[in-house]
Amino acid sequence: MIIKRDKDIIQNYFEDNSGVIGSSADFVALTETEDDISGFLVEMSKSKTPVTVVGSLTGNTASGLAFGGSVLSLENLNNISEIKEIDDKNALITVQAGAKIHDIKLKAFNGGWMYPPDPTEKNASIGGNISTNASGGRGFKFGVTRDYIKALKVIFSDGSQSYIERGKYFADKNGGITFDTNKGKKHILLPKYHLPAIKNVTGYYNYPAADLMDVFIGSDGTLCVIVKAVLKLIPSFKEVFGGIIFFESRNSAYEFVNKIKIISKNTEKENLKDSISAMSLEYFDKNALLMIKNYYPVIPENIEAGIMFEQDIYEDNFDILMEKWVEAISDSGIDLEKVWFASNFAQQEEFRVFRHRIPECVNEIVRKNKIPKSGTDFAVPEGKLPEIVDFCDREFKKSGIFNLTFGHIGENHLHANIIASNKEEYERCRRICVDIAQKAVELGGTVSAEHGIGKLKHILLEKMLGEKGFKEMAKFKKSIDESGILGQDNIFPKNYIQRIQ
């Protein structure tokens, strides 16, 4: 373990994509081996020193920013194993928590395989992605990070370690789970609050018959230190086809997306070969597109929305599928002149750069303004998306503050951002985000479907689970992290832990 205390040297551990300032710690501990961590956590537990676990510090909710205590960096735990092929449809790869998503995906691709989760930030570490259950732009077809985790090695604050394989430990009807560690058995009792049956990363996972592994996925560094994971890989597609369609009304964009979702789901259900099956469906509102128009003159004037689609292709049927998409677009009354097509990997990569340029621009503005990011990460049940987008639009227009909305429309999961330029605007932005969170909950949705709560969104989670939910989460955390040192202030305010005797 390397300990660094010089403030100038460790300053880069106190910034991420959230825009939050004021982060600090007494020291940074860089672990060089997995075995270093147990002893370190025991020592920190004895002295009640808070521990904030970090990887690449690319988060949006300040969960990796310390405010006192210590920083435990896993950046040196970045080994990626050789691929282990199970059969022609499945393979496994073992990675340490500090491995970068870009490197994992590249190694898989070079071996003819694919790690499907596709978060915007490719420099993120896999440990961070697991801690927030990240998904990204291809979640419509491939799901989220937890769908590709087959095993985890975790270390608890008492120094005990556990290797948890999917399907080994499940919650009983009362929410109890007993599992093995190298220091004996642990027993936990899951919180009792209700979570919506949609894409969701708010609160500790407690769905019926929960797999223990899923409890730690999305726990935002508050329950344990994730040091290693076994990931599921699937065969890589041979080709990809996609496009960006520009619409003069949001309703037209919604109608097209709903049509493609219905066709795609039927294609998967019936296992059809030569039919539309969208890999991703991404939405951009007018302001998002205007923000990057200087980079992309192809964006027309007088448009209200854009939809980016991708289809993965595994057979020699590229021309057939391309024709099906063109037919679906034309039958929807869309002018093909308002569609930007990509028909090979190089062109498709331009689309991905296009998609990622929007959050990059948001982060640049946030850093320039030196005001924390205000945004929501809501998801709502099928059919409810137009209602919450209209609600956001009304609130944003009343505020007069710059805003933009984009994201994963295929999963009814959007990122609504409102960008403050000063502290007064920031407080107004926060109030608007609370109102949006309340609306999402009223519609049966979640206040966060991907980024998690971190330190910035306690008030949003409170709208969903209430103070009772915070108390349940604090009690649950304390049952695993008895010293209460891990990820303090992530998910819920740390004073709830302090109230537990």
Side-chain angles (χ1 to χ4, degrees):
M1 190 78 73
I2 300 171
I3 304 298
K4 295 185 177 182
R5 298 182 184 273
D6 188 298
K7 297 300 182 184
D8 293 330
I9 293 176
I10 64 176
Q11 186 57 41
N12 61 311
Y13 291 92
F14 305 136
E15 297 177 5
D16 67 359
N17 288 337
S18 69
V20 170
I21 59 176
S23 173
S24 66
D26 297 329
F27 64 91
V28 174
L30 283 82
T31 182
E32 296 184 284
T33 70
E34 295 173 19
D35 293 335
D36 289 343
I37 298 173
S38 290
F40 174 77
L41 293 179
V42 169
E43 184 180 339
M44 294 300 100
S45 292
K46 287 179 180 178
S47 61
K48 297 289 185 181
T49 302
V51 176
T52 300
V53 184
V54 304
S56 299
L57 284 163
T58 57
N60 292 289
T61 63
S63 60
L65 296 183
F67 289 85
S70 65
V71 169
L72 174 61
S73 174
L74 306 184
E75 63 193 276
N76 292 331
L77 296 185
N78 55 17
N79 184 64
I80 302 173
S81 76
E82 295 304 314
I83 296 169
K84 179 181 179 181
E85 296 188 6
I86 306 302
D87 52 40
D88 61 350
K89 298 293 184 183
N90 298 278
L92 301 175
I93 190 168
T94 300
V95 298
Q96 289 184 305
K100 300 288 183 68
I101 296 300
H102 172 271
D103 296 333
I104 295 169
K105 293 176 79 70
L106 182 60
K107 186 159 189 174
F109 179 80
N110 288 339
W113 297 89
M114 177 170 63
Y115 176 62
D118 194 45
T120 299
E121 182 54 76
K122 298 302 183 291
N123 287 320
S125 65
I126 185 64
N129 274 198
I130 295 170
S131 292
T132 59
N133 191 33
S135 55
R138 292 174 172 173
F140 175 66
K141 183 167 191 174
F142 294 125
V144 297
T145 294
R146 77 167 72 254
D147 298 324
Y148 299 90
I149 308 297
K150 303 297 288 183
L152 290 176
K153 179 182 178 181
V154 301
I155 303 178
F156 300 101
S157 60
D158 64 0
S160 62
Q161 303 180 14
S162 188
Y163 184 76
I164 302 164
E165 297 175 288
R166 183 166 293 284
K168 186 173 183 179
Y169 303 107
F170 294 98
D172 61 28
K173 63 181 180 180
N174 297 314
I177 308 177
T178 300
F179 62 98
D180 298 309
T181 78
N182 65 333
K183 294 186 177 181
K185 293 186 181 296
K186 284 186 182 291
H187 179 78
I188 59 175
L189 187 64
L190 299 179
K192 301 297 184 184
Y193 47 69
H194 173 75
L195 296 174
I198 60 173
K199 186 180 182 183
N200 173 57
V201 294
T202 51
Y204 294 127
Y205 190 98
N206 71 342
Y207 293 96
D211 190 307
L212 176 64
M213 184 181 303
D214 289 324
V215 177
F216 297 126
I217 297 170
S219 60
D220 221 356
T222 62
L223 301 180
C224 61
V225 178
I226 296 168
V227 296
K228 184 181 289 183
V230 178
L231 310 179
K232 174 186 175 181
L233 305 179
I234 64 174
S236 181
F237 44 77
K238 293 173 64 174
E239 296 183 273
V240 63
F241 171 73
I244 300 176
I245 307 172
F246 301 103
F247 295 86
E248 294 181 2
S249 76
R250 284 205 301 258
N251 286 338
S252 297
Y254 298 150
E255 290 170 3
F256 177 76
V257 167
N258 289 337
K259 174 181 179 177
I260 296 302
K261 286 169 71 171
I262 291 170
I263 296 173
S264 297
K265 289 175 181 178
N266 185 65
T267 297
E268 294 300 309
K269 180 181 177 181
E270 301 295 331
N271 195 27
L272 301 177
K273 177 182 176 182
D274 296 329
S275 181
I276 288 173
S277 177
M279 178 167 59
S280 66
L281 290 165
E282 295 288 288
Y283 170 84
F284 317 105
D285 77 353
K286 179 179 181 178
N287 288 347
L289 293 171
L290 286 176
M291 186 175 65
I292 62 171
K293 185 170 171 52
N294 287 340
Y295 300 97
Y296 297 96
V298 68
I299 299 173
E301 302 289 342
N302 302 318
I303 49 92
E304 289 294 325
I307 298 294
M308 186 178 89
F309 66 87
E310 293 180 297
Q311 170 142 2
D312 45 331
I313 300 172
Y314 300 86
E315 309 286 345
D316 295 325
N317 57 349
F318 181 95
D319 291 340
I320 295 173
L321 292 173
M322 182 174 180
E323 184 177 331
K324 290 289 180 68
W325 274 98
V326 171
E327 181 181 335
I329 293 168
S330 297
D331 288 349
S332 298
I334 299 167
D335 183 354
L336 292 178
E337 294 295 320
K338 293 184 178 179
V339 184
W340 178 16
F341 287 108
S343 58
N344 57 49
F345 278 104
Q347 292 174 350
Q348 195 68 24
E349 187 58 30
E350 287 184 36
F351 280 4
R352 292 165 61 73
V353 173
F354 175 100
R355 161 67 175 85
H356 296 163
R357 185 61 184 142
I358 294 171
E360 286 171 359
C361 284
V362 170
N363 291 336
E364 288 168 9
I365 295 171
V366 168
R367 283 192 291 268
K368 180 181 178 181
N369 292 346
K370 297 183 178 179
I371 301 291
K373 182 183 294 187
S374 295
T376 68
D377 173 32
F378 62 77
V380 292
E382 197 70 47
K384 301 294 186 180
L385 192 69
E387 185 174 348
I388 194 166
V389 173
D390 287 347
F391 178 85
C392 292
D393 193 44
R394 290 193 298 271
E395 294 302 307
F396 290 160
K397 284 180 178 177
K398 283 190 295 184
S399 75
I401 302 172
F402 177 67
N403 61 85
L404 65 152
T405 299
F406 61 94
H408 320 305
I409 195 169
E411 301 120 273
N412 304 301
H413 166 208
L414 297 182
H415 304 289
N417 294 264
I418 182 163
I419 313 299
S421 59
N422 56 57
K423 291 184 179 179
E424 185 274 332
E425 284 190 351
Y426 176 68
E427 292 305 319
R428 289 163 56 199
C429 291
R430 294 278 288 170
R431 291 193 292 271
I432 292 169
C433 287
V434 171
D435 291 341
I436 294 172
Q438 182 67 56
K439 184 66 175 179
V441 172
E442 290 173 2
L443 293 173
T446 177
V447 301
S448 181
E450 179 177 23
H451 290 162
I453 301 301
K455 296 178 176 70
L456 283 181
K457 299 183 178 181
H458 298 162
I459 192 170
L460 306 188
L461 182 56
E462 187 176 12
K463 291 294 180 183
M464 186 169 165
L465 300 183
E467 185 175 359
K468 182 180 178 182
F470 280 174
K471 291 178 179 177
E472 288 184 44
M473 286 187 289
K475 183 178 180 181
F476 176 65
K477 171 182 165 60
K478 196 71 181 290
S479 72
I480 299 176
D481 173 23
E482 187 175 353
S483 60
I485 63 171
L486 293 173
Q488 288 189 0
D489 235 20
N490 285 354
I491 304 181
F492 57 88
K494 63 184 177 183
N495 63 331
Y496 281 89
I497 283 286
Q498 295 164 355
R499 297 176 194 174
I500 300 173
Q501 301 299 321

